[in-house]
Amino acid sequence: MIILVHWLLTTWGCLMFGGAYAWANFTILALGVWAVAQRDSIDAISMFLGGLAATILLDIIHIGIFYPRDSLTDTGRFGAGMAILSLLLKPFSCCLVYHMYRERGGELLHAGEAAPAASSQPPPRWPGFLGPSQEHSAYQTIDSPEAPADFYSGLEGKGHTPQGC
C-alpha cells in the first residue's frame, strides 16, 4: 500500500518536477518492490528504508530549487501539490517501513552496544544506526556439522572386490 500511494503521488509530482526527482523516487520505489518480493530479506527492507529517508532530504532540496516563483498553471500547481503531499507522507511511511524492518528481525544497535556474539560480522561503523545484516530464510540448512563418511571405504571388508584390479 505504501508503494502504491507513493508511486501515484510521484507520478503526479512528475507533472511539475521531472529528471532527478523522478529518478530518485522511482528508484526507491523499485527497492520497495524488491522488499515486498523478498519478504525474508532484511537487506531489501533496510535499503528501502534508507532510500526512503534519503529521498525526504532530496525532495526538500529539489522542490526548494525548482518550484517556480512566477505564475503556475493548474496542472503545475496540482503536480507540485502532489509532490509536497508525497514529501509530507514520507516520514510516516518511514515509521511503517521501520516497523516492518523490526518484524523481519532487524536490530537497532545503540551506542556502545556490541554486535551479537554469534555474528561473524564486525561491529557497525556508525553505532546507533541499523545493525548488521542478518538473512532469515524459510529454508533450513541440510548441511551436517560432521564431515561426510566415505561411502566406499567399508565395502572392501564386506565381500566386495574393487573393480579394475
Side-chain angles (χ1 to χ4, degrees), residues 15-44:
L15 293 172
M16 181 66 201
F17 307 106
Y21 175 82
W23 273 104
N25 284 288
F26 286 127
T27 301
I28 299 311
L29 291 175
L31 286 174
V33 170
W34 177 40
V36 169
Q38 297 281 324
R39 291 201 177 270
D40 52 346
S41 174
I42 294 176
D43 291 337

Side-chain angles (χ1 to χ4, degrees), residues 101-127:
Y101 170 76
R102 295 295 302 246
E103 284 178 350
R104 292 184 185 188
E107 298 176 1
L108 179 66
L109 296 179
H110 300 288
E113 183 179 342
S119 175
S120 62
Q121 297 177 355
R125 179 172 280 173
W126 298 285

